[in-house]
Structure formats: structure tokens, C-alpha cells
């Protein structure tokens, strides 16, 4: 008698900044349930509706063991496939089914993927600052905490604009000056590099804030600083420009958090145009496609660096960790350091010690969810403003 899906529920909670979306699948076996991450923080209502109104009726009664069949049929059940909302909804189901399979097998999910290649996943921390000295201070602080890999930003993404030259009547928005950002950040990276030991690995996130040719120049200018990787130098809409970067410099490139379709990452992998795949696992549809992409990338000498910001739930970070412990081509893991309130809502949230993220080796993902506590922090509606980016002349820019 197969164990089947008895109920599918969506837990929406916002305990600290980001709105988090977790799917809970309750099975026909008393006490057996799984958790999955479906977090698309900017469109949480849409994901919630996709799960409750479209996936749940489709899933009730299905055999929990058939993860692949459920992933494939869920992806095409609405005929049109992929996209951030549907992928996140399916991811919540997919990751929950992997959690269930691990619990049924009495094994952590990394065992189901092929077992450990490492005891813990090396993580990178986020150092920022208003000027190059403040960034350097924060880099040194993180290094003292044991992080060997540190991302350096100066004024977040796109930097801070020192002077606005917008024309009369320009629209409101989050203004930045791409070329001022590039000049300032390259100076900061050079300063940090000159004042840290060579073994301190530096990373930087361009966050698609430069026009393509300036991104090529930025990667070339950054080459002497031997970055561990330069992230999102281009937007997904400019994928063909990766060839230009690769032809002109050896700065390692990471890309993927914005990807929602395999046709975005497969060409970059096949032509070895990037060095790290950085997809947001729930944006690509869950553990099933992430495992496939990691194995495919490994055949081309490309490593993993799964997206791991504050708008991935602790369940999503746990899924990242199981992939990280297994993948022979693991690169690095982004980590955002949840506060105690979040860890209280999600018992078993991965722990980072001395720059490494450790599993707890409980069956499944090894994480749980206190729904009563989560309910105390309902998701708040908000019109996102940081993505309303504009160039100095007031024209819209990708965030
Ligand atoms: C990163 C990402 C994030 C995104 C955020 C969008 O490298 O972690 O760029 O900071 O901007 O996840 O909601
Ligand atoms: Mg990024």
C-alpha cells in the first residue's frame, strides 16, 4: 500500500525582513510529513495561490515515493511551464518529497544523493561598508570569525551615487550611477586586496548593474585582484555577452540566481562561459533540477555556489546544504546568518561554525517548523522599492 499525499499546506511567515514560503506535505502515514522551500519573497501571494489552488488538488492521493513523476507532471500540468511562480510552487512540493523520502529511508537527504564528499560546506559572508576602509574592517572581522571567503560590496548593489544629475521632472526611484559604482568598487577591491592576506578569498556581486561592455571591462579590471568569483556581471537578457568576458579575461564568473529555465544555464555550462552556477534552488523548481544541474555542470568543470540570501527560508538553506555535502563539484555556499527568532521557528536550521555549515544528520532535511510561532509573524504586503532602480537620467534600469 503506497504512502500517499494526504494534505498540502503553505506556511507564510516574515519573522525577520524577508517573507518566507514553506510547503508542508502531510502523508497517509500518521506523523510522517515533509517540508519544502517555495520562497519568492516579492510575489508570495502568487506562489501561495499556485500551490493552494492549482498544485494541491492535482497532488492529493499521489504516491510520495514518485518524486520524479510528480515533478515532471506538475511542471506541465498547466501546459505552460517554468517561470518563477510555478517553479517556486513546484520546488516547495519537490523538496518536501525529498524530506519525506529521507525520513522513510531513515537517512539524511545527502545520503540519497550519493553520500558525503565533505563533512561541512564552506560558506561566504557579506562584508559591506560606506567606504573602502569600512569594507576592509568588516572583511577582517569576518576573517577573524573563520570565514575564508568574503563577499565585498560598497553601498550594497550598484554602490551609492555621490551626486545626482537627473533632469527636471525625473521619476522617483532607487538611483545609481553604473560607472561611478564601477570606479568606486574597483578601487575598494584593490584596497581590500592590498590589505588582506592572499588566502582571504574575495567575491563581488555586480548584480547586473552594468551595461554589457562595461561588465566586460569591469571583469578585465578586476583580474589582477584574483577574485574567487565575480557574480552576475550580466543580466539574464544579455547571456550572449558572457562569451566576450571569457575571451578577454580569467576572472572566475558566477551566474544563476535569476534563472528560471534550463535553457538559461545549459548554454553557459556547455560552452564553459561561467565557473559557478548560482541558481536559487526554489526558483529552478527544487532539489530535483538542482541535482541534475550540479551533475551536468560537474562534467564541464563548473562548480556550485547556490543562492543563499535572507530570502531563502531555512528549509531552503537546508536543501542547499544537502546538495553541498554531496556534490563533488561543490564551490562555495552563500550564507546570510539568520537571527535567533528565525532559528526558533525552524528548529534544525543549519549551523555555521568557523566559516563552515554543518548538517545535524537527522533523517530527511533535518529541519522542522513551529507553525504556531511562524503564525505570529504574518507576511506583510509591500511595494518593493529597491528594485525600482533608475539611471542618473531617470531611465529605468534592471535591479
Ligand atoms: C545575492 C542576491 C540577493 C538578491 C535577493 C533578491 O547574491 O544574495 O543578489 O541579495 O538581491 O535575493 O531578492
Ligand atoms: Mg547576487
Amino acid at each position: 500500500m503506497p504512502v500517499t499525499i494526504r494534505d498540502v499546506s503553505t506556511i507564510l511567515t516574515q519573522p525577520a525582513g524577508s517573507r518566507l514560503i514553506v510547503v508542508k506535505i502531510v502523508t497517509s502515514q500518521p506523523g510522517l510529513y515533509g517540508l519544502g522551500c517555495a520562497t519568492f519573497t516579492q510575489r508570495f501571494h502568487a506562489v501561495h495561490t499556485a500551490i493552494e489552488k492549482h498544485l494541491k488538488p492535482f497532488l492529493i492521493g499521489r504516491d510520495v515515493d514518485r518524486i520524479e513523476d510528480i515533478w515532471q507532471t506538475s511542471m506541465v500540468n498547466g501546459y505552460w511551464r517554468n517561470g518563477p511562480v510555478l517553479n517556486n510552487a513546484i520546488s516547495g512540493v519537490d523538496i518536501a518529497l525529498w524530506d519525506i523520502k529521507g525520513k522513510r529511508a531513515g537517512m539524511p537527504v545527502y545520503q540519497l544523493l550519493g553520500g558525503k564528499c565533505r563533512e561541512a560546506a564552506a560558506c561566504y559572508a557579506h562584508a559591506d561598508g560606506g567606504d573602502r576602509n569600512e569594507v576592509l574592517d568588516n572583511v577582517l572581522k569576518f576573517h577573524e570569525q573563520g570565514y575564508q571567503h568574503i563577499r565585498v560590496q560598497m553601498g550594497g548593489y550598484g554602490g551609492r551615487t555621490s551626486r545626482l544629475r537627473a533632469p527636471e521632472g525625473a521619476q522617483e526611484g532607487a538611483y545609481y550611477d553604473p560607472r561611478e559604482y564601477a570606479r568606486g568598487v574597483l578601487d575598494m577591491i584593490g584596497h581590500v586586496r592590498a590589505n588582506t592576506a592572499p588566502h582571504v578569498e574575495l567575491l563581488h556581486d555586480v548584480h547586473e548593474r552594468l551595461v554589457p561592455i562595461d561588465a566586460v571591462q569591469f571583469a578585465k579590471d578586476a583580474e589582477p585582484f584574483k577574485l574567487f568569483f565575480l557574480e552576475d556581471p550580466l543580466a539574464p537578457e544579455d547571456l550572449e555577452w558572457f562569451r566576450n568576458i571569457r575571451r578577454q579575461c580569467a576572472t572566475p564568473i558566477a551566474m544563476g540566481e535569476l534563472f528560471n529555465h534550463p535553457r538559461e544555464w545549459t548554454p553557459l555550462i556547455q560552452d564553459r562561459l561561467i565557473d559557478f552556477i548560482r541558481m536559487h534552488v526554489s526558483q529552478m523548481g527544487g532539489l530535483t533540477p538542482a541535482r541534475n544541474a550540479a551533475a551536468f555542470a560537474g562534467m564541464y568543470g563548473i562548480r556550485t555556489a547556490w543562492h543563499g540570501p535572507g530570502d531563502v527560508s531555512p528549509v531552503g538553506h537546508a536543501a542547499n546544504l544537502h546538495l553541498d555535502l554531496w556534490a563533488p563539484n561543490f564551490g562555495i555556499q552563500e550564507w546570510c546568518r539568520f537571527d535567533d527568532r528565525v532559528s526558533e521557528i525552524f528548529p534544525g536550521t543549519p549551523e555555521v561554525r568557523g566559516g563552515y555549515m554543518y548538517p545535524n544528520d537527522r533523517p530527511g532535511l533535518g529541519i522542522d517548523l513551529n507553525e504556531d510561532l511562524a503564525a505570529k509573524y504574518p507576511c506583510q504586503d509591500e511595494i518593493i522599492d529597491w528594485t525600482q532602480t533608475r539611471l542618473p537620467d531617470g531611465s529605468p534600469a534592471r535591479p
Side-chain angles (χ1 to χ4, degrees):
M1 181 75 169
V3 175
T4 60
I5 294 174
R6 179 66 54 84
D7 187 28
V8 180
S9 60
T10 315
I11 295 95
L12 305 175
T13 184
Q14 185 176 6
S18 295
R19 287 163 292 277
L20 307 176
I21 307 167
V22 174
V23 171
K24 179 175 183 178
I25 291 183
V26 175
T27 74
S28 56
Q29 179 178 316
L32 177 63
Y33 63 89
L35 298 173
C37 183
T39 300
F40 175 10
T41 196
Q42 293 87 348
R43 291 295 179 265
F44 67 99
H45 287 303
V47 176
H48 182 203
T49 302
I51 296 163
E52 295 291 330
K53 300 295 184 192
H54 298 298
L55 282 187
K56 179 174 177 177
F58 171 76
L59 293 167
I60 299 294
R62 289 181 188 268
D63 179 347
V64 298
D65 279 343
R66 297 177 183 257
I67 299 177
E68 190 70 45
D69 185 273
I70 287 173
W71 193 92
Q72 297 292 343
T73 51
S74 300
M75 187 55 80
V76 296
N77 178 249
Y79 187 56
W80 278 274
R81 42 269 205 179
N82 291 104
V85 173
L86 178 62
N87 281 6
N88 273 284
I90 291 175
S91 165
V93 172
D94 180 74
I95 295 175
L97 291 174
W98 278 100
D99 189 20
I100 289 165
K101 194 175 275 290
K103 288 175 177 176
R104 296 191 74 207
M107 293 181 192
V109 168
Y110 65 73
Q111 294 290 20
L112 308 180
L113 297 171
K116 282 180 178 177
C117 281
R118 57 196 58 75
E119 299 317 304
C123 295
Y124 70 85
H126 293 175
D128 204 327
D131 60 42
R132 66 185 203 172
N133 289 319
E134 193 180 340
V135 176
L136 176 59
D137 289 347
N138 288 323
V139 167
L140 297 174
K141 276 185 206 142
F142 279 123
H143 188 236
E144 277 156 31
Q145 290 172 23
Y147 290 94
Q148 298 299 313
H149 300 75
I150 300 156
R151 188 184 81 173
V152 289
Q153 307 291 131
M154 188 166 71
Y157 303 128
R160 286 208 177 86
T161 297
S162 58
R163 70 208 179 293
L164 262 186
R165 308 182 315 283
E168 294 158 21
Q171 300 282 307
E172 292 295 314
Y175 279 77
Y176 76 101
D177 182 333
R179 289 170 68 91
E180 180 184 11
Y181 146 67
R183 287 190 297 271
V185 160
L186 283 164
D187 171 68
M188 175 272 288
I189 294 173
H191 178 67
V192 173
R193 183 73 286 163
N195 289 281
T196 46
H199 67 265
V200 176
E201 297 288 1
L202 302 176
L203 306 77
H204 178 68
D205 189 350
V206 176
H207 212 271
E208 61 175 349
R209 292 302 181 94
L210 295 172
V211 295
I213 192 60
D214 287 349
V216 176
Q217 186 63 60
F218 189 101
K220 287 174 69 173
D221 292 344
E223 193 171 19
F225 306 131
K226 302 277 188 299
L227 291 175
F228 184 76
F229 68 50
L230 183 66
E231 176 185 348
D232 289 16
L234 298 165
E237 293 81 357
D238 293 321
L239 295 187
E240 293 71 18
W241 277 83
F242 278 102
R243 206 172 299 283
N244 299 76
I245 295 178
R246 184 60 97 212
R247 281 194 187 126
Q248 299 198 43
C249 75
T251 296
I253 302 296
M255 183 71 182
E257 69 184 51
L258 273 162
F259 288 169
N260 299 295
H261 195 292
R263 300 305 298 141
E264 294 176 296
W265 59 82
T266 46
L268 297 180
I269 292 170
Q270 280 167 317
D271 294 346
R272 298 174 176 85
L273 297 178
I274 59 175
D275 305 277
F276 295 86
I277 54 173
R278 238 182 85 65
M279 281 75 92
H280 181 111
V281 166
S282 68
Q283 283 284 351
M284 63 188 294
L287 264 171
T288 297
R291 173 205 57 189
N292 298 343
F296 179 56
M299 295 166 67
Y300 291 82
I302 293 164
R303 290 171 282 173
T304 65
W306 305 114
H307 192 219
D311 48 301
V312 170
S313 73
V315 176
H317 281 275
N320 286 345
L321 175 58
H322 286 272
L323 286 162
D324 295 344
L325 296 172
W326 151 73
N329 56 319
F330 166 74
I332 193 70
Q333 179 56 56
E334 181 177 16
W335 172 241
C336 63
R337 294 175 300 133
F338 287 111
D339 67 21
D340 293 346
R341 180 190 296 173
V342 179
S343 307
E344 210 182 322
I345 293 172
F346 293 92
T349 295
E351 276 184 33
V352 173
R353 302 187 295 273
Y356 280 98
M357 188 187 289
Y358 289 88
N360 56 36
D361 285 338
R362 290 204 292 268
L365 293 172
I367 194 164
D368 208 342
L369 169 57
N370 180 327
E371 293 185 64
D372 295 339
L373 215 43
K376 289 185 176 172
Y377 308 100
C379 288
Q380 303 300 316
D381 289 318
E382 175 198 6
I383 295 176
I384 313 294
D385 52 20
W386 72 268
T387 54
Q388 298 182 47
T389 28
R390 290 189 179 274
L391 298 174
D393 73 349
S395 54
R398 295 185 189 116

